[in-house]
Amino acid sequence: MSRIFYVNGAFVDEQDAKISVLDRGFLFADAVYEVSSVLNGKLIDNRAHLKRLHRSLNELSMPPACTDEEMVSYQHRLLELNQLEEGLLYLQVSRGVADRDFAFPANPKSSLVMFTQAKKLIDSPTANTGISVISVPDIRWQRRDIKTVGLLGPSLAKQQALDAGANDAWMVEEGYVTEGTSNNAYIVRKDKVIQTRHLGNEILSGITRDAVLRFARESGFDVVEEPFTVDDVKQADEAFFTSASAFVMPVVSIDGHAIGEGKPGPVAARLREVYIETALKREDL
Ligand code: PDD
């Protein structure tokens, strides 16, 4: 079955899913996006993703493409048309089509595209083995709190990791880890405290991060939101990352150094379990 895409009001086959060459998302990366996970055909924490979408739009003075009600109805229709049970729903809003000019168009008409990707999120093979990361300089712009499609920095970092035989990269700025290429980064210290960088313009405020930190505190773990270094990672008991596309994923080595016992640890495993259990029970986490 070929996939159905949503493009500016129409549900179309992939070969008909087209946008203009003059779309500002294409020319200037003047577009924001969200990725929501889907389990049993249901969007997980979508309300929180749409809230963050509004924040991204506001920060860029970009008009929304439609109301939230319309958005949710398009999302549900797209899941149905593609019969997606487990995977991801990607949506992107751009400032629309205008002749190329750095200044914003006077009357922008935002464009909206969406598509689905089937993916095994629960039975993910890497959840059992853990993944390896390398550390790389964070070369991204200074507003990483806005979820824009300007993703060349993380794309280069990811490719550098793969070329080095690792799975992903953790980006480092002024000596401290910011985040992974498309995820938030954590360590479990020797004193069992879970540590993750505080929110700010330097990282994306992850929707999964928010839920996982809540679940961690509710489960009795101590959590601190403070930056950590690559040396801290090497000395930690465990490391992991979170994202809508991976939930909670153990990280077992950095720059070739085993973290803890060099295998997925109990804290990451427990948080992954709690996240999945909760997501299977309710849509808003
Ligand atoms: N990325 N940090 C960055 C830089 C990200 O791109 C993402 C998500 C996250 C985690 O956010 P959340 O928990 O809301 O997914 C953190 C998505 C999955 C992507 O670009 O595919």
Side-chain angles (χ1 to χ4, degrees), residues 188-195 222 237:
V188 182
R189 300 189 324 211
K190 288 247 154 3
D191 60 3
K192 306 298 171 206
V193 173
I194 298 171
Q195 184 168 351
D222 287 324
D237 260 8

Side-chain angles (χ1 to χ4, degrees), residues 103-220:
F104 295 171
N107 297 304
K109 190 174 175 318
S110 296
S111 68
L112 172 63
V113 300
M114 290 188 204
F115 57 86
T116 56
Q117 290 180 307
K119 185 176 181 194
K120 273 194 186 301
L121 298 173
I122 295 180
D123 287 328
S124 155
T126 47
N128 299 321
T129 57
I131 67 138
S132 56
V133 298
I134 57 166
S135 60
V136 300
D138 195 335
I139 62 166
R140 298 173 300 162
W141 78 326
Q142 291 175 6
R143 290 304 307 275
R144 303 158 195 155
D145 55 311
I146 309 173
K147 199 163 172 59
T148 78
V149 302
L151 295 175
L152 194 50
S155 173
L156 287 169
K158 178 87 181 188
Q159 191 55 46
Q160 194 181 333
L162 297 183
D163 291 345
N167 302 109
D168 199 8
W170 277 11
M171 297 177 282
V172 178
E173 187 170 63
E174 293 172 357
Y176 293 99
V177 172
T178 50
E179 55 190 336
T181 56
S182 61
N183 48 65
N184 291 116
Y186 307 73
I187 54 172
V188 182
R189 300 189 324 211
K190 288 247 154 3
D191 60 3
K192 306 298 171 206
V193 173
I194 298 171
Q195 184 168 351
T196 192
R197 193 185 176 101
H198 57 288
L199 296 179
N201 292 353
E202 301 77 21
I203 64 166
L204 185 73
S205 173
I207 302 304
T208 321
R209 176 188 184 279
D210 187 48
V212 166
L213 290 187
R214 218 173 332 113
F215 298 155
R217 288 180 171 121
E218 284 166 12
S219 308

Side-chain angles (χ1 to χ4, degrees), residues 44-52 68 283-284:
I44 304 305
D45 236 358
N46 192 48
R47 205 187 295 263
H49 282 281
L50 294 184
K51 195 169 161 206
R52 186 174 63 189
D68 275 3
E283 291 167 45
D284 290 318

Side-chain angles (χ1 to χ4, degrees), residues 22-42:
L22 292 178
D23 191 278
R24 288 182 58 94
F26 180 63
L27 294 178
F28 293 103
D30 190 1
V32 296
Y33 76 106
E34 283 296 330
V35 178
S36 300
S37 55
V38 177
L39 289 180
N40 291 336
K42 295 205 170 82

